[in-house]
Amino acid sequence: MNHDRTEGKAKDIAGSAKETFGKATGDKETEQSGKANQVEGKVQNGVGKIKDAVSR
């Protein structure tokens, strides 16, 4: 597993927590930011998967 996959998963998890916090506090900006972090993490994780597949 390469760095992109690890970092992407971490961003996805942190974004999920941030989204949940935003929902709990009624802060739409934090909620949307969390969703954006999740998307960024998923994309980065996907890039890492591609890199792993190419390097084999």
Side-chain angles (χ1 to χ4, degrees):
M1 184 181 296
N2 70 30
H3 175 70
D4 284 317
R5 290 183 70 186
T6 306
E7 191 172 314
K9 188 64 177 173
K11 286 180 184 178
D12 186 16
I13 292 169
S16 179
K18 191 173 186 179
E19 178 186 5
T20 301
F21 180 76
K23 283 181 181 179
T25 60
D27 185 348
K28 294 290 182 187
E29 187 175 322
T30 299
E31 184 180 344
Q32 292 300 318
S33 178
K35 287 180 181 181
N37 288 18
Q38 287 179 63
V39 170
E40 182 182 350
K42 286 178 177 83
V43 169
Q44 188 171 4
N45 190 12
V47 169
K49 286 181 181 179
I50 293 169
K51 286 180 178 180
D52 280 347
V54 169
S55 68
R56 290 184 182 166

